[in-house]
Amino acid sequence: VQGDAPAMPYDDASFDVLSIAFGIRNVADPEAALREFRRLLRPGARLTILEFSHPRLGPAPLATNLHRDRVLPHTATLISGDRSGAYHYLPKSIFTFLDRGEMVSAMERAGFGKVRQRVLTLGVCVCYRGVVR
């Protein structure tokens, strides 16, 4: 089923688990999407979000910025054969997206409890988990 994250075509409390990987930052209104995810999940159900982040420790920020801003857009374009420029938006979309604290707060405001974040790959990605209250 194809749908819009803030307006999914399912009944309330239809799912036990909902996950999204590298997609929430591409949603026009992430907070509306989080509220919709909450609506779709049963009490006690889990939401898991995997998303890019900003490394904070040691040389990781410099190396990540160089790779993300200079190398990734060109190599992804080359590998995918997609000449539309789709991969050149990636650095800006990561830079302008919610930071870790903002994401946790947004999940809590949407009705998720026990919100946790697990930093992966030296902070390049973060896995967020919340449970419907």
Side-chain angles (χ1 to χ4, degrees), residues 2-127:
Q2 191 171 8
D4 186 18
M8 297 299 293
Y10 299 103
D11 294 334
D12 294 357
S14 293
F15 301 98
D16 293 315
V17 176
L18 194 150
S19 66
I20 184 170
F22 306 113
I24 191 78
R25 96 190 117 71
N26 296 312
V27 173
D29 186 349
E31 296 216 22
L34 291 171
R35 290 189 300 272
E36 179 68 352
F37 297 164
R38 166 59 188 90
R39 181 190 72 78
L40 295 172
L41 290 166
R42 295 180 179 104
R46 294 182 316 271
L47 170 65
T48 302
I49 298 172
L50 179 63
E51 194 52 80
F52 287 113
S53 186
H54 305 281
R56 298 178 182 169
L57 300 174
L62 180 61
T64 299
N65 291 345
L66 176 65
H67 181 264
R68 181 193 62 221
D69 298 347
R70 303 278 188 224
V71 177
L72 183 62
H74 299 292
T75 56
T77 297
L78 195 72
I79 292 168
S80 70
D82 182 341
R83 304 285 184 239
S84 70
Y87 293 100
H88 291 276
Y89 86 98
L90 186 62
K92 184 178 180 184
S93 73
I94 296 168
F95 181 74
T96 60
F97 190 64
L98 304 172
D99 69 27
R100 295 177 198 169
E102 291 169 335
M103 176 58 95
V104 168
S105 294
M107 290 175 70
E108 290 171 342
R109 283 192 302 276
F112 293 94
K114 299 180 184 175
V115 177
R116 303 284 183 263
Q117 55 180 305
R118 182 173 178 200
V119 177
L120 306 168
T121 57
L122 299 175
V124 172
C125 301
V126 176
C127 185

